[in-house]
Amino acid sequence: MSNLAELSITEAGEKLIAGEITSLQLAEACLAEIEKREGAIHAYLEVFADVREQAKHADERRAAGENHPLLGIPLAIKDNILIEGRVASAASKMLENYVAAYDATIIQKLKDAGAVFIGRTNMDEFAHGSSTENSAFGPTKNPHDESRVPGGSSGGSAAAVAGCMALGALGTDTGGSIREPASFTGLVGLKPTYGAVSRSGLIAMGSSLDQAGPLTRTVEDAELIFNVIKGKDTLDSTTIDEETYPKRSAGKKIGVPRHLLQDGLDRDVLERFESSLDTLRAGGYEIVDVELPLSGLALAVYYVIMPAEVSTNLARFDGVRYGLSRKGDSLFEDYAKTRGEGFGPEARRRIMLGTYVLSAGYYDAYFGKATSARRELRAEVERVLSSVDLIATPTTTSAATKIGEKTEDPLAMYLLDIFTVTANLTGNPAISVPMGTVEREGKELPVGIQFTAAHGDEAALFAAGKALQ
Ligand code: GLN
């Protein structure tokens, strides 16, 4: 039999149900790949010691008659998602030894379904970044070219799946952190509608922007995981249910904001995008031009609102309640020492930016303006999505960049998020689906196409993704 670690979740699930393979064999296949590649890739911050026990337990549940499609499927979990009794560090020194006291709601749901957790994956510290180079524990490498980044901030999750060290993974997406690494590693990555998936038990970055979602090899797999983790949750008052947004009839009209596809977009990425549109046309989709004049502001709006929320969410790490604690001669010194030592440079940069835009005297000029612009942007996207079913752009302007290429220039790093931040600001669901590869220095590097749909219309994303696949 071919390598079990290369199967899609759906294929593996069918084999498990048919009794052709066991969960233990699947887990062993992933552990064997970890043995081979993890030393070079560094997708994981920890591979759990009890993977085989979890897999055996899944096999017992199946023997007892359970049949969930995720039962016994090995998944990798981003390190900002709490699993009771295990460390959740968000790749930060601040939480290096923090043991989660409870399960995130999405973890509870995956446990109920019987998924096997292989380990917790590397990420940019507190999910701040687009390359996984901001981890306090060293970068992750892209399995397609180890001199390149896997994208971020869910880069460890992406590398684990792309490197066959898990069959699927969970990531979180505040401004693109599922979709961008999916694009850079040839995977499918879904950022659900804001509120579709509970945030209870996620280590918060930007609470009005964060959503957890799957990174998988196929659209079917992403849909499968989404259907398991979604749903209203009493522990997260922002969660929505099936009735929150009106049901839309399945349409096949795609809008392309061509005015955004200019400066800074690699030519061959644009070519892959155009040929993906051709494939969609052949699949019965109609492609039309749309205008999103405010999208040009999205990045600026995001980089005001996000740090404001980051500075608020990171205020709880004070050396008293959670994680790292350093003592000085006064309470102020305790804070300064703990926070100075616990947070890396990017987290500190965002705390300062966020504190600045929220401070009296600057609030109206920055945060207030960004909030109104965000409202306008949401209205604009809603207007466009009343005449088309989907908006398509490339997910990223280029293929994976070199390790170290953008670390000295935070602004250049921020520019990578140009196509992804809008969906977080507006709450719309968006997916990245592979659209082929481009050649860089003799290596074929994957790139992705992004679809954005109306609130609650993940079905349209899956349909377009499948048409392309
Ligand atoms: N790259 C973006 C940032 O650095 C998005 C991060 C994310 O989605 N977590 O803010």
Side-chain angles (χ1 to χ4, degrees):
M1 188 177 294
S2 62
N3 187 349
L4 295 182
E6 292 172 11
L7 294 175
S8 71
I9 294 174
T10 315
E11 289 165 341
E14 282 164 7
K15 288 186 190 297
L16 284 167
I17 288 172
E20 289 169 31
I21 58 170
T22 64
S23 313
L24 186 58
Q25 286 172 325
L26 268 182
E28 293 285 5
C30 293
L31 291 172
E33 292 302 316
I34 289 172
E35 191 65 38
K36 263 190 253 161
R37 293 202 78 179
E38 173 60 6
I41 303 286
H42 190 39
Y44 288 98
L45 291 174
E46 179 186 357
V47 175
F48 297 139
D50 65 346
V51 171
R52 289 182 182 83
E53 281 67 43
Q54 291 181 59
K56 280 185 205 152
H57 182 58
D59 283 327
E60 284 160 18
R61 283 173 63 174
R62 188 175 304 281
E66 282 188 52
N67 230 354
H68 196 283
L70 285 184
L71 180 59
I73 299 293
L75 299 180
I77 308 295
K78 190 177 180 180
D79 196 33
N80 58 352
I81 303 174
L82 306 194
I83 309 179
E84 187 182 348
R86 301 194 195 267
V87 169
S89 79
S92 177
K93 292 263 181 243
M94 191 61 100
L95 290 173
E96 190 170 3
N97 301 307
Y98 170 72
V99 176
Y102 63 98
D103 279 328
T105 297
I106 55 177
I107 290 296
Q108 189 55 58
K109 290 182 173 203
L110 289 175
K111 281 185 176 175
D112 291 346
V116 170
F117 302 135
I118 296 270
R120 51 191 181 88
T121 54
N122 199 16
M123 54 185 281
D124 287 296
E125 181 179 7
F126 286 107
H128 304 165
S130 308
S131 68
T132 312
E133 292 167 292
N134 292 333
S135 167
F137 307 110
T140 295
K141 314 281 171 63
N142 190 321
H144 294 271
D145 176 350
E146 290 171 15
S147 71
R148 292 179 188 270
V149 303
S153 64
S154 311
S157 288
V161 182
C164 298
M165 299 185 275
L167 265 56
L170 286 187
T172 59
D173 191 311
T174 305
S177 281
I178 291 175
R179 290 160 285 155
E180 190 238 10
S183 174
F184 282 2
T185 59
L187 299 176
V188 174
L190 171 74
K191 195 287 286 181
T193 305
Y194 184 75
V197 172
S198 170
R199 291 178 294 112
S200 173
L202 306 193
I203 298 173
M205 178 177 164
S207 303
S208 77
L209 305 157
D210 296 343
Q211 272 291 286
L215 287 125
T216 55
R217 295 185 186 132
T218 67
V219 176
E220 288 79 3
D221 287 0
E223 188 172 9
L224 175 58
I225 293 182
F226 172 66
N227 283 330
V228 171
I229 62 175
K230 73 175 180 187
K232 198 154 180 67
D233 181 12
T234 49
L235 297 175
D236 174 0
S237 62
T238 63
T239 48
I240 58 170
D241 56 31
E242 307 278 339
E243 274 82 60
T244 307
Y245 295 108
K247 273 266 156 313
R248 294 176 48 118
S249 52
K252 287 192 154 189
K253 199 164 172 187
I254 298 178
V256 178
R258 296 218 166 260
H259 60 102
L260 294 178
L261 310 181
Q262 290 162 6
D263 300 343
L265 176 62
D266 287 357
R267 269 190 67 141
D268 47 3
V269 173
L270 184 58
E271 280 163 23
R272 290 301 94 76
F273 179 70
E274 297 294 356
S275 56
S276 302
L277 295 181
D278 287 340
T279 309
L280 288 161
R281 268 189 209 100
Y285 279 85
E286 181 190 353
I287 316 284
V288 299
D289 286 356
V290 292
E291 299 282 329
L292 286 165
L294 290 176
S295 294
L297 297 176
L299 208 57
V301 172
Y302 173 78
Y303 276 96
V304 171
I305 290 180
M306 175 275 297
E309 296 190 9
V310 161
S311 71
T312 312
N313 276 320
L314 295 187
R316 64 173 68 100
F317 301 105
D318 57 5
V320 180
R321 288 170 291 186
Y322 295 86
L324 189 80
S325 182
R326 291 283 180 265
K327 292 278 165 263
D329 291 331
S330 63
L331 183 62
F332 181 79
E333 261 191 29
D334 293 356
Y335 292 159
K337 278 196 162 172
T338 302
R339 290 168 68 81
E341 211 177 294
F343 290 131
E346 185 60 27
R348 292 206 293 270
R349 181 178 296 120
R350 293 182 189 216
I351 291 169
M352 285 189 284
L353 270 173
T355 311
Y356 178 80
V357 300
L358 287 174
S359 54
Y362 294 108
Y363 185 98
D364 290 334
Y366 295 103
F367 191 74
K369 276 228 174 70
T371 312
S372 353
R374 181 184 191 177
R375 251 192 315 272
E376 294 299 319
L377 190 62
R378 180 173 169 137
E380 175 175 286
V381 170
E382 267 171 13
R383 214 175 312 119
V384 167
L385 284 170
S386 66
S387 64
V388 297
D389 303 290
L390 295 157
I391 297 168
T393 63
T395 308
T396 51
T397 52
S398 66
T401 49
K402 287 272 190 190
I403 289 183
E405 190 179 324
K406 299 206 190 265
T407 40
E408 296 310 310
D409 185 355
L411 216 52
M413 187 77 93
Y414 297 169
L415 283 173
L416 285 174
D417 306 329
I418 189 109
F419 293 129
T420 52
V421 294
T422 302
N424 301 79
L425 290 168
T426 62
N428 291 81
I431 198 170
S432 178
V433 179
M435 61 169 185
T437 57
V438 294
E439 199 205 300
R440 294 287 179 276
E441 300 176 341
K443 295 226 162 91
E444 290 298 326
L445 301 177
V447 281
I449 179 171
Q450 170 179 257
F451 299 105
T452 304
H455 293 96
D457 200 12
E458 276 82 1
L461 302 179
F462 298 137
K466 286 174 195 168
L468 203 56
Q469 213 166 244

